[in-house]
Amino acid sequence: MTAATLTSKGQITIPAHIRRELKVDAGDRVEFVLVAPGRYEFVAATRDVTELKGMFGAPKKTVTIKTMNAAIARRGASAR
């Protein structure tokens, strides 16, 4: 297990071998994802949005912008 020390400014230094494995460098974004009470997962947020294409497979049916806008309007009206 690898450990790091928190500074008085709330900063830590991520060990080099972990930075290499996560493919993060200075200026890259990371996220802290709550996975259980008091437990977080540290995730590199360096992927490009285009990498998400196809993640959920092909849509079961296509929806037009007009249909989406109508659904949004219906939900908005029912929320009042």
Side-chain angles (χ1 to χ4, degrees):
M1 178 164 34
T2 302
T5 302
L6 186 67
T7 70
S8 61
K9 292 184 177 184
Q11 300 171 334
I12 61 169
T13 298
I14 303 166
H17 72 279
I18 294 175
R19 291 192 312 264
R20 281 192 299 273
E21 189 173 323
L22 292 174
K23 296 179 176 76
V24 294
D25 204 354
D28 287 342
R29 290 185 46 82
V30 296
E31 296 174 353
F32 298 90
V33 180
L34 181 64
V35 293
R39 187 170 180 90
Y40 285 82
E41 187 171 296
F42 177 86
V43 180
T46 57
R47 296 193 323 176
D48 189 85
V49 71
T50 57
E51 292 180 43
L52 302 175
K53 183 177 181 181
M55 181 181 276
F56 300 107
K60 291 183 174 61
K61 71 175 192 176
T62 57
V63 181
T64 66
I65 297 293
K66 184 178 178 180
T67 305
M68 281 189 263
N69 287 338
I72 292 166
R74 279 193 309 276
R75 292 292 296 249
S78 67
R80 292 183 189 152

